[in-house]
Amino acid sequence: MDDNVLLAKYISGDDAALTILVGRYQKELYRFVARQVGNEADAADVTQKVFVSLFLKAKQFEGKSSFKTWLYQIAVNLCKNHFRSNDRRKETSGDDEALDIIQDDTKAEDYILSEYRNILKSAINELPNKQRATMQLRIYQECTFAEIADILSSPLGTVKACYHQAMLSLTKSLKEDSYEPNEL
Amino acid sequence: MNRMSCDEVQSSLVDYIEFELPISQRQQFNAHLTHCDQCRELHDDLQNVLVDAKSIEINEPGAQFWQELPNNVLTAVRQQRQNDARYTPVTDLAMTGMVETTSEFSDDGAVFRDKLGEISGENVLPFRARTERRPVNEMAGKKQPVRHVPATNAQPDNQRQAANTNKPLKPNHAFTTGVRQGTEQSTEQTPVVERFGEKPCSKFSWPKIALPIAASVLIAVSGVLLVNQSGVNNPGGMQFDNETPIFYDSVAAHEQISTGTAMSDKALAALAQTMVPISHQSARFGFTSQNAILNSFSIGALFTETIVYIKSEDSTLVKTHLALLGSAMYRQAGSKRLLQSIEMLKTDIQQDGDTVTNAFRLNQLMNQYAASLKSIADKEFVLFKLGAWSYDFALAALAKDVSLHHKVDEIIAFKAQLQQLGAPAGVTKSLQEINALITKEVMTDGDYRKTVEAVENIRSLLG
């Protein structure tokens, strides 16, 4: 059943429609959120908050965009807020230092791979919000540029430029970190 | 075929990789890459980064999470809708368990379950019922010590207060609320915030609990600063000179904090430098530690209270309470980062009106602080937890919230933990009373009132 039909059913009092919609999008939304907040531990909470926020505002949905676009719009906003606070927390908590602990039984190559992965993740997380969201919507959620433009409420050209800039910045920053691509 | 320049190729790299380049240009692009090492290297790097980025996998939760999520969302939405329909705004926070101190908290000792996302900030209004304050210079449950006041300033406490606040004199008398510890010195009444024409809250209001806590925190900080600065040898606890004229400043400071007139950070810092402690820590029933005055219970309540004020968008109270929290963190060893975070939050609140986010951030800081306490001492952790819990609980009781019935497990857990830690008998007795009251089939207004009194009693013993 179409998303918009299900949403209409929910608004008219059919709670089962909510569970169907959540079930339909929960995994992809979780993956997006986890990448956005850069912290899988918080992703479950934020994912639930996105859904709750969406259904609380269900009556405000005008149908101008797709349900999915609206869902991601809410997710982007909540993640942005979360990422900002999380980012600040990291600045002051020195959590990154804890990553340096190497278990005795960790193989050297696994450790190197893990380090590369961390470098890449950090580089992505350090991108400006809009660039990061654009990039993640494009490469992980496989959204078209037009969909991303809707989600971010930005002109298509801006989104493309944003993505372009994100990829170049990422490549450049990884080079500066002596990252060797294609190692993962 | 026209050949593309390096600049043109490099500016089209992403389009090329994303297949957004028209076919005619792709051919030119390919031709360029075959003979330009520099552009080919850039292309390869970009392509490889893209491949690597795509290969980063996300660890997903187990099947149970996916099974439960739809129902969890549904429950949260329903609960939020119910809360939105209710009157008592602050109770919305309490009821939805912004700070939940049940098993999740005690499991890992670090996590308050945050449900802020379920809370709508739109319906939260400032909670300012009546305020009654306990004197800052009086310890809970103990006879007021004789103070040696310099002749030039020799006047009773209440007169001094009146002099500082320009308010009529009021005699000291016991709490009319039936609290069994502590006495009040002044009573101030401001209009009760009402909504949808419903009844105002009970005459018992949290501010009379919280404000002295807040004041005591700041006062205690200053006390420690004074001790540190003067190098007082103090093996058995903090000793303070009540003969100093700055004793009087504490009354004025308390008044300013209570009325929210201590607006600027500078003013608060100045107050912290000039105030003396609420009382000698040794008078505190021997339960709390050397740091009793600025104890974990008070800080727990202060955190929760500040979150509520953030949600209610009361900028003066937010600012004052964040300053108090900052002072509390300043006082705590190893809390420098938390202090920095609070300072950042304070700055952001001034610039950003997103109350949900800001409250969420403070909630996170509270979790961090709880985690740090847990790693140091169970007792401090339990006190902190109880402080945070008691504030929410009292607000719920003030609003005659039926969800109190669901708090029985928490009360039992607290009782057991506090007994084990050697808390005063009055605390566990009050918890027992609360338990008996909220498990009644029907709670009367009197029962709610008694519940608040019992919480106040706990506060007076531990806060």
Side-chain angles (χ1 to χ4, degrees):
Chain A
M1 195 180 289
D2 182 72
D3 292 343
N4 289 4
V5 175
L6 282 169
L7 191 64
K9 284 168 80 76
Y10 168 71
I11 291 169
S12 64
D14 181 0
D15 286 344
L18 177 148
T19 59
I20 294 171
L21 280 168
V22 173
R24 187 175 286 177
Y25 285 101
Q26 59 185 6
K27 289 195 177 180
E28 71 170 83
L29 182 68
Y30 172 86
R31 286 192 285 266
F32 174 71
V33 167
R35 288 192 165 102
Q36 276 284 290
V37 300
N39 174 2
E40 288 157 15
D42 294 337
D45 276 349
V46 177
T47 301
Q48 178 167 328
K49 284 174 186 170
V50 172
F51 280 122
V52 170
S53 177
L54 181 145
F55 287 107
L56 283 173
K57 299 181 200 164
K59 287 179 183 170
Q60 297 170 22
F61 182 60
E62 295 173 349
K64 288 179 182 171
S65 58
S66 69
F67 174 84
K68 180 182 169 182
T69 299
W70 191 42
L71 177 69
Y72 278 100
Q73 280 173 348
I74 293 170
V76 165
N77 284 330
L78 285 182
C79 290
K80 185 172 70 181
N81 293 339
H82 182 89
F83 187 84
R84 186 173 57 181
S85 58
N86 200 38
D87 194 40
R88 288 183 183 281
R89 190 177 57 187
K90 273 186 186 172
E91 280 174 18
T92 56
S93 67
D95 286 348
D96 292 342
E97 290 165 17
L99 298 174
D100 292 334
I101 299 166
I102 308 170
Q103 299 295 326
D104 290 342
D105 55 353
T106 305
K107 291 178 187 173
E109 57 262 38
D110 288 346
Y111 173 69
I112 291 167
L113 275 181
S114 158
E115 281 296 289
Y116 277 135
R117 197 169 286 120
N118 285 336
I119 290 170
L120 182 53
K121 279 183 182 176
S122 298
I124 293 171
N125 285 340
E126 281 165 15
L127 289 172
N129 278 338
K130 197 163 185 176
Q131 289 184 20
R132 191 175 70 255
T134 305
M135 187 199 139
Q136 291 178 338
L137 285 166
R138 177 67 178 169
I139 70 174
Y140 298 120
Q141 308 309 118
E142 299 179 341
C143 292
T144 65
F145 284 117
E147 284 175 325
I148 299 170
D150 265 353
I151 291 168
L152 300 180
S153 305
S154 293
L156 185 61
T158 306
V159 167
K160 283 187 176 180
C162 219
Y163 179 72
H164 187 271
Q165 191 55 46
M167 292 307 299
L168 291 182
S169 300
L170 191 58
T171 309
K172 188 181 170 196
S173 96
L174 288 172
K175 268 202 166 252
E176 286 167 1
D177 284 343
S178 307
Y179 176 83
E180 292 183 26
N182 220 10
E183 290 288 340
L184 300 184
Chain B
M1 183 189 301
N2 292 329
R3 296 183 65 175
M4 292 175 83
S5 68
C6 285
D7 282 348
E8 286 173 322
V9 164
Q10 287 172 21
S11 65
S12 307
L13 267 172
V14 177
D15 286 344
Y16 175 80
I17 287 169
E18 289 289 334
F19 297 96
E20 293 275 318
L21 215 55
I23 290 178
S24 57
Q25 283 187 37
R26 287 188 76 82
Q27 289 168 344
Q28 293 174 42
F29 196 98
N30 286 331
H32 183 96
L33 285 188
T34 54
H35 72 264
C36 179
D37 290 345
Q38 189 191 3
C39 287
R40 191 167 59 248
E41 188 184 345
L42 267 176
H43 165 268
D44 290 349
D45 282 350
L46 198 59
Q47 181 81 20
N48 290 333
V49 165
L50 194 58
V51 169
D52 280 359
K54 282 184 177 175
S55 73
I56 294 178
E57 291 179 354
I58 295 293
N59 294 325
E60 292 185 3
Q64 191 181 356
F65 174 78
W66 303 121
Q67 285 165 7
E68 291 176 355
L69 185 59
N71 278 333
N72 288 344
V73 171
L74 186 58
T75 307
V77 171
R78 280 177 178 162
Q79 190 176 13
Q80 184 58 48
R81 289 200 191 289
Q82 284 173 4
N83 291 342
D84 287 349
R86 285 198 177 98
Y87 149 65
T88 315
V90 178
T91 310
D92 287 349
L93 301 178
M95 284 189 53
T96 49
M98 183 160 63
V99 177
E100 188 165 304
T101 53
T102 53
S103 56
E104 283 171 76
F105 201 130
S106 49
D107 283 348
D108 60 10
V111 180
F112 283 113
R113 186 173 166 204
D114 171 62
K115 290 186 177 178
L116 259 176
E118 301 162 21
I119 298 166
S120 164
E122 296 165 4
N123 297 313
V124 177
L125 292 173
F127 178 82
R128 277 180 168 175
R130 304 170 183 193
T131 58
E132 294 180 48
R133 289 185 293 283
R134 228 178 58 182
V136 292
N137 57 340
E138 187 168 316
M139 66 191 78
K142 286 272 181 177
K143 190 179 175 183
Q144 180 75 357
V146 176
R147 299 186 187 282
H148 303 285
V149 181
T152 52
N153 294 310
Q155 47 187 331
D157 283 356
N158 53 357
Q159 288 180 19
R160 282 200 298 271
Q161 188 204 28
N164 277 304
T165 61
N166 298 321
K167 287 186 176 174
L169 286 178
K170 290 185 180 178
N172 286 343
H173 55 85
F175 257 127
T176 53
T177 57
V179 176
R180 292 179 296 281
Q181 308 284 349
T183 58
E184 67 178 349
Q185 194 168 37
S186 71
T187 300
E188 176 184 291
Q189 295 187 356
T190 54
V192 176
V193 176
E194 293 186 48
R195 193 156 177 256
F196 304 140
E198 293 202 27
K199 288 181 182 177
C201 293
S202 148
K203 70 174 182 175
F204 304 98
S205 58
W206 181 260
K208 75 184 172 190
I209 308 171
L211 289 173
I213 292 173
S216 67
V217 170
L218 186 55
I219 291 164
V221 172
S222 65
V224 173
L225 288 174
L226 288 169
V227 168
N228 289 341
Q229 286 169 1
S230 59
V232 175
N233 183 17
N234 186 24
M238 293 179 286
Q239 299 290 336
F240 302 99
D241 181 9
N242 284 338
E243 294 185 8
T244 172
I246 62 174
F247 166 75
Y248 307 113
D249 293 338
S250 67
V251 179
H254 174 243
E255 188 64 23
Q256 288 184 57
I257 291 165
S258 303
T259 55
T261 53
M263 293 289 288
S264 71
D265 294 349
K266 194 176 171 185
L268 283 163
L271 289 175
Q273 291 293 328
T274 56
M275 289 193 299
V276 293
I278 190 166
S279 66
H280 192 288
Q281 58 87 22
S282 62
R284 299 222 156 217
F285 302 91
F287 174 57
T288 46
S289 67
Q290 275 196 15
N291 300 326
I293 297 171
L294 178 62
N295 69 15
S296 301
F297 181 94
S298 303
I299 296 175
L302 193 56
F303 261 110
T304 322
E305 185 186 7
T306 311
I307 289 169
V308 170
Y309 288 139
I310 289 175
K311 292 292 291 180
S312 65
E313 299 185 23
D314 189 320
S315 59
T316 302
L317 286 170
V318 169
K319 193 169 183 178
T320 307
H321 284 73
L322 279 174
L324 289 167
L325 265 181
S327 301
M329 295 303 107
Y330 181 81
R331 165 74 174 75
Q332 301 289 305
S335 294
K336 190 181 165 195
R337 283 168 179 156
L338 272 169
L339 175 59
Q340 288 171 345
S341 301
I342 286 171
E343 288 301 316
M344 275 190 269
L345 179 60
K346 205 159 61 177
T347 306
D348 288 352
I349 284 175
Q350 286 166 359
Q351 297 168 352
D352 184 353
D354 186 349
T355 52
V356 173
T357 304
N358 291 330
F360 175 76
R361 285 170 60 188
L362 186 57
N363 206 50
Q364 284 184 318
L365 296 179
M366 180 166 71
N367 293 342
Q368 287 177 42
Y369 186 73
S372 67
L373 281 182
K374 176 68 176 172
S375 66
I376 297 167
D378 277 347
K379 186 167 84 175
E380 298 308 311
F381 176 64
V382 171
L383 278 173
F384 179 85
K385 200 167 62 165
L386 185 63
W389 175 90
S390 64
Y391 185 84
D392 262 356
F393 190 86
L395 292 179
L398 284 167
K400 300 171 188 173
D401 192 317
V402 291
S403 73
L404 288 177
H405 296 297
H406 303 307
K407 307 282 187 185
V408 175
D409 290 346
E410 295 167 10
I411 291 165
I412 292 169
F414 274 128
K415 193 180 160 201
Q417 288 170 330
L418 290 163
Q419 271 176 335
Q420 196 177 7
L421 293 169
V427 175
T428 47
K429 192 179 169 191
S430 291
L431 284 171
Q432 185 63 43
E433 283 175 19
I434 294 170
N435 193 14
L437 288 164
I438 66 172
T439 48
K440 280 185 166 182
E441 203 159 303
V442 177
M443 280 182 78
T444 63
D445 286 357
D447 293 333
Y448 284 114
R449 180 174 53 78
K450 285 176 188 169
T451 304
V452 177
E453 288 172 8
V455 177
E456 285 199 357
N457 193 51
I458 293 170
R459 196 277 310 167
S460 72
L461 288 166
L462 300 179

